[in-house]
Amino acid sequence: VYIEDDISKDIQIINIISDKVRAQTVKGIKDVFMQCEKGNDGLKSGINEIKPQIETIGDEIFANKHLMVNMVDMKVFDDYTYYHSVNVAVLSIVLGVALKLNRHELCDLGFAALLHDIGKVFIDKTILNKNGRLTPKEYGDIKTHSLLGCNHLKKGYPIPNPCFMGILDHHEKYDGGGYPNNLKGDKISLYGRIISVADVYDALTSDRSYRKALLPSDAMEYIMGSTTTLFDPNVVKVFVKKIAAYPIGTCVKLSNGLTGIVVQNYENFCMRPRIRIFKDHDKEVNPYEIDLADFKTLNITVIEIV
């Protein structure tokens, strides 16, 4: 919910994709998961039905390719698995556009991202929803989902091979130690490297049964700090340009005691947005704007609730 007041009434929030397209895609992927879980023969037709939705998402993102993604526009707390799948697809396509993939490649990437967790339908739900630390055996079961999903989809479903590789590789780590094949660097498929970043970021910024969501800025710092260990540096480089660490409308407090609202983000300064100041310590002031990029010693210290 966005609340409009005198300070923020002229701030325009533009969604990277329309609510209608997102809702249709969530419904489509939910049907695919349910058919897969039941072993339904309708899975093939369900997969065919979500292909046009992925194409539409790709077209909308390409039309808005100069926008940075405000992740709060994509957070829904019910049906996590399905919304997570769509969020990861959206983020992956955003990264694919920034990496200059063509339309066909973007569709394949989005398709792989949408289906990246399909193997979880074969994992015990008590493990997936466990409120606490997993045992080594339970974690071992979880680690099979990418291979299970890939193998199941290979049973005659009309999916290009790069999609299979993206699904298989999305838990590989850039410096090794990931699963299922302990690949490193460029041995990991490009789609797998892209989906990995999108998957982790969306998971970190979502409420789960075992922890509260991180703020987008904290999740961004985790991604940046894991460059070359978990994530491909080239993918992270475009990620920090396209995903807003402080989404527009976020209320923040600065290191000098000023409080304001984020009104604009810059691709080259992802952690230093433009702020509309409306309070100096506890005293309200006439609103004015500053670019944090112009004040190197001034930092955002906390997300404010006002």
Side-chain angles (χ1 to χ4, degrees), residues 177-188:
Y179 60 86
N181 294 314
N182 190 26
L183 302 178
K184 290 185 179 182
D186 293 344
K187 296 296 183 182
I188 306 168

Side-chain angles (χ1 to χ4, degrees), residues 71-90:
M71 197 62 196
V72 290
D73 293 335
M74 301 168 62
K75 308 315 295 181
V76 179
F77 299 102
D78 296 324
D79 284 341
Y80 167 79
T81 296
Y82 313 118
Y83 280 94
H84 172 69
S85 296
V86 175
N87 290 348
V88 172
V90 170

Side-chain angles (χ1 to χ4, degrees), residues 215 251-253 259 279 302-306:
L215 294 169
C251 189
V252 297
K253 189 169 185 178
T259 300
K279 186 184 290 186
V302 68
I303 305 296
E304 283 280 278
I305 305 297
V306 296

Side-chain angles (χ1 to χ4, degrees), residues 36-66:
C36 185
E37 189 170 12
K38 295 175 181 178
N40 196 314
D41 291 337
L43 179 58
K44 183 182 293 188
S45 63
I47 287 176
N48 285 333
E49 288 176 6
I50 62 175
K51 284 184 177 180
Q53 294 162 0
I54 284 294
E55 292 173 355
T56 301
I57 289 174
D59 291 341
E60 289 197 4
I61 289 173
F62 192 81
N64 293 318
K65 63 182 178 181
H66 299 299

Side-chain angles (χ1 to χ4, degrees), residues 22-196:
R22 183 181 300 149
Q24 290 174 337
T25 310
V26 167
K27 181 182 182 302
I29 193 62
K30 186 174 183 177
D31 290 344
V32 167
F33 268 64
M34 294 177 69
Q35 290 167 358
C36 185
E37 189 170 12
K38 295 175 181 178
N40 196 314
D41 291 337
L43 179 58
K44 183 182 293 188
S45 63
I47 287 176
N48 285 333
E49 288 176 6
I50 62 175
K51 284 184 177 180
Q53 294 162 0
I54 284 294
E55 292 173 355
T56 301
I57 289 174
D59 291 341
E60 289 197 4
I61 289 173
F62 192 81
N64 293 318
K65 63 182 178 181
H66 299 299
L67 292 178
M68 294 183 71
V69 177
N70 288 294
M71 197 62 196
V72 290
D73 293 335
M74 301 168 62
K75 308 315 295 181
V76 179
F77 299 102
D78 296 324
D79 284 341
Y80 167 79
T81 296
Y82 313 118
Y83 280 94
H84 172 69
S85 296
V86 175
N87 290 348
V88 172
V90 170
L91 291 172
S92 295
I93 294 173
V94 168
L95 297 180
V97 170
L99 290 166
K100 303 188 184 306
L101 300 186
N102 63 41
R103 188 175 187 273
H104 177 76
E105 291 169 328
L106 290 174
C107 290
D108 282 353
L109 169 62
F111 204 62
L114 194 61
L115 294 169
H116 76 283
D117 271 346
I118 191 73
K120 285 187 176 179
V121 303
F122 305 112
I123 306 298
D124 188 333
K125 297 298 183 292
T126 61
I127 297 176
L128 291 176
N129 300 320
K130 184 176 180 179
N131 185 12
R133 184 182 294 275
L134 297 176
T135 67
K137 170 64 167 58
E138 291 169 337
Y139 183 53
D141 289 346
I142 288 284
K143 289 168 66 175
T144 65
H145 79 271
S146 52
L147 181 59
L148 290 173
C150 183
N151 287 343
H152 184 74
L153 291 172
K154 280 186 174 180
K155 296 176 182 178
Y157 299 113
I159 300 175
N161 190 63
C163 294
F164 289 127
M165 298 311 300
I167 294 166
L168 184 66
D169 291 350
H170 76 276
H171 280 293
E172 299 289 355
K173 299 178 181 179
Y174 196 71
D175 69 345
Y179 60 86
N181 294 314
N182 190 26
L183 302 178
K184 290 185 179 182
D186 293 344
K187 296 296 183 182
I188 306 168
S189 65
L190 175 60
Y191 292 176
R193 283 177 272 146
I194 293 172
I195 295 169
S196 174

